[in-house]
Amino acid sequence: MLCFVYVLNFLDRQLLSILAKPIQDDLQLSDGQLGRIGGLYFALFYCLISIPVGWLADRTNRVKVLSFACALWSAATVACGMASTYPQLVAARMAVGVGEAGGVPPSYAIISDYFPSGTRATALGLFNLGPPLGQALGVAFGASVAATYDWRSAFVVVGAVGVVTALLVYMFVREPVRGGLDRAPSVAPVESATAHAGFRATIAMFFSRPVLVLVALACGATQFVTYASLNFTTLFLMREKGMTLEEIAVYYALLIGIGISAGMYVSGRITDRLARNGKQAYALVPAVGLALAIPFFIGFVWAPGWQLALLFLIGPTFFNYFYLSPAVTLVQEEVRPSERVLSGALLLLVMNLIGLGLGPTYLGALSDLLRDTHPENSLQLAFYTLVPFYVLAVVMFVVLARKLKREPLVVGDQP
């Protein structure tokens, strides 16, 4: 159920990028405007609201917070389909961001209290199938509806499904005991399941821990690439590679759904196995995955036709998401049970402000800047400039691995 909510969370978030071409044609928007509405404008509300929501969820019923958030972002998605001007679409997208801020952090903590240490990376890997499934369904459904009817109908239908799902979450998902499956550390007393960590204390703890800050920054560098790519790949394939909406709905949807899902699951399984020998696995798995993605990404951008481009895109689609399950698991295991939702929200704050906020904004603005001199391939040239950010992310995860190798065992770690 939590995974399905995440599917809707990401589907609603990415529907704008999936339908970028018809929206751009209808509302006469530039690449820069698309980048800002899918990036900076959305991320500001999504990231900043997630902090108080995370604090509230750590002190109250996490399932109820999740249910309300799902209802809110789904209603805002319906409003996106009713927007007739760019400012109206911006306002609706900001409302989607407010609602989605309460989606992922409570789910991270709920799952961490359903599964003990040693199985969490796999469990969170299954939960993190939400983004690829949401992206795949969004591509298949959104492109098909837009091709048959119009882009507005896709927003309205998806939003209505989300409202119903919010009711199902409220009725059927049980709130687990906080910290009920954590192993007590040998050097400190077990924390009461009902104890609440202070808001400021949790924030101070998070940003005082070099490991937590570094994993958030490394994820931010990674998401700079992934969100920039996700927000413009459909437009890139249609405008510069020659794909149609009908082809997008079949071939790109299958690639996204299978590729990212496999990457999420495989990285979670590998991490659970390797982490038994040391916590550095939480950083080495993402570093290796991102390094392997780079040559395939360059091939995707270079490819002259969409068929070859999709073939190369299999690599980044699989390897780009090797970072997420290990990073989330590391943060959940490094903090106390009563700090998990807020710590997850802080992780999302840092990585989404950098990745979601700046990635699409940067790529759209650069494409506009290059349009006058390179009108036929401005997006292609802008995509090439994402390669250095891949390298930066790999370096940061390698540095994190070295720090984790020296880290002592803390709450939630395997003995």
Side-chain angles (χ1 to χ4, degrees):
M1 181 64 79
L2 294 179
C3 181
F4 183 67
V5 173
Y6 201 6
V7 167
L8 293 176
N9 180 296
F10 211 82
L11 198 163
D12 291 0
R13 188 186 312 176
Q14 292 301 313
L15 204 54
L16 183 77
S17 63
I18 294 163
L19 301 176
K21 188 66 168 62
I23 293 173
Q24 189 176 54
D25 294 342
D26 186 10
L27 300 183
Q28 297 299 301
L29 307 182
S30 68
D31 288 354
Q33 286 177 309
L34 282 174
R36 289 192 297 275
I37 195 173
L40 185 61
Y41 297 154
F42 178 89
L44 283 176
F45 281 80
Y46 175 73
C47 296
L48 296 179
I49 297 296
S50 67
I51 302 306
V53 169
W55 174 81
L56 176 66
D58 268 331
R59 303 175 67 86
T60 59
N61 187 296
R62 295 165 293 186
V63 172
K64 290 181 180 179
V65 171
L66 175 64
S67 174
F68 177 79
C70 182
L72 178 58
W73 85 59
S74 299
T77 299
V78 174
C80 288
M82 299 178 178
S84 57
T85 65
Y86 182 66
Q88 291 176 359
L89 188 59
V90 169
R93 292 300 293 172
M94 288 179 173
V96 172
V98 171
E100 290 192 5
V104 180
S107 297
Y108 284 160
I110 292 169
I111 291 170
S112 295
D113 284 332
Y114 266 106
F115 295 89
S117 179
T119 63
R120 284 177 184 150
T122 300
L124 287 166
L126 291 171
F127 169 71
N128 283 326
L129 294 178
L133 292 176
Q135 181 77 358
L137 289 174
V139 171
F141 174 78
S144 298
V145 171
T148 306
Y149 301 101
D150 56 42
W151 64 269
R152 299 178 187 279
S153 301
F155 279 95
V156 173
V157 173
V158 170
V161 171
V163 173
V164 175
T165 302
L167 294 174
L168 295 176
V169 170
Y170 182 83
M171 291 187 293
F172 295 111
V173 177
R174 293 180 298 170
E175 174 79 359
V177 176
R178 281 182 172 85
L181 298 178
D182 286 323
R183 182 181 64 87
S186 59
V187 294
V190 181
E191 179 182 328
S192 168
T194 59
H196 299 301
F199 180 73
R200 293 182 181 178
T202 301
I203 293 177
M205 176 278 301
F206 188 94
F207 289 106
S208 68
R209 298 273 300 278
V211 164
L212 297 180
V213 173
L214 188 54
V215 70
L217 291 174
C219 288
T222 305
Q223 286 199 343
F224 191 95
V225 177
T226 58
Y227 272 118
S229 300
L230 281 176
N231 274 267
F232 283 96
T233 292
T234 302
L235 183 62
F236 180 51
L237 289 170
M238 292 182 65
R239 196 168 74 193
E240 297 188 17
K241 302 295 185 184
M243 287 191 80
T244 65
L245 269 176
E246 290 82 2
E247 290 166 340
I248 289 283
V250 178
Y251 301 111
Y252 183 52
L254 287 173
L255 188 152
I256 288 291
I258 297 172
I260 301 182
S261 298
M264 292 279 194
Y265 181 74
V266 170
S267 64
R269 295 286 292 181
I270 292 174
T271 302
D272 269 339
R273 283 181 174 272
L274 298 182
R276 298 169 187 170
N277 300 319
K279 291 194 296 185
Q280 62 268 29
Y282 292 118
L284 289 178
V285 171
V288 171
L290 291 171
L292 292 173
I294 294 174
F296 292 101
F297 179 80
I298 294 172
F300 157 68
V301 179
W302 162 83
W306 67 264
Q307 294 92 341
L308 184 58
L310 284 186
L311 189 63
F312 276 115
L313 191 57
I314 294 172
T317 301
F318 179 73
F319 290 117
N320 273 0
Y321 295 88
F322 267 42
Y323 79 98
L324 189 56
S325 296
V328 171
T329 305
L330 176 63
V331 171
Q332 294 295 298
E333 296 209 346
E334 285 283 307
V335 302
R336 298 183 181 92
S338 62
E339 298 170 331
R340 281 181 175 151
V341 182
L342 184 52
S343 294
L346 291 168
L347 172 67
L348 293 176
L349 170 69
V350 176
M351 67 185 193
N352 283 329
L353 275 178
I354 296 172
L356 178 59
L358 301 181
T361 305
Y362 161 82
L363 196 64
L366 186 59
S367 178
D368 279 351
L369 186 65
L370 296 170
R371 181 67 64 84
D372 290 339
T373 54
H374 300 83
E376 300 300 321
N377 66 333
S378 61
L379 255 182
Q380 181 187 44
L381 296 177
F383 263 99
Y384 276 125
T385 67
L386 294 177
V387 174
F389 295 97
Y390 262 118
V391 177
L392 176 62
V394 171
V395 171
M396 294 180 76
F397 275 116
V398 170
V399 173
L400 176 62
R402 297 179 65 180
K403 285 187 174 293
L404 287 172
K405 194 172 182 179
R406 301 191 297 267
E407 278 278 298
L409 290 171
V410 294
V411 174
D413 282 331
Q414 283 289 86

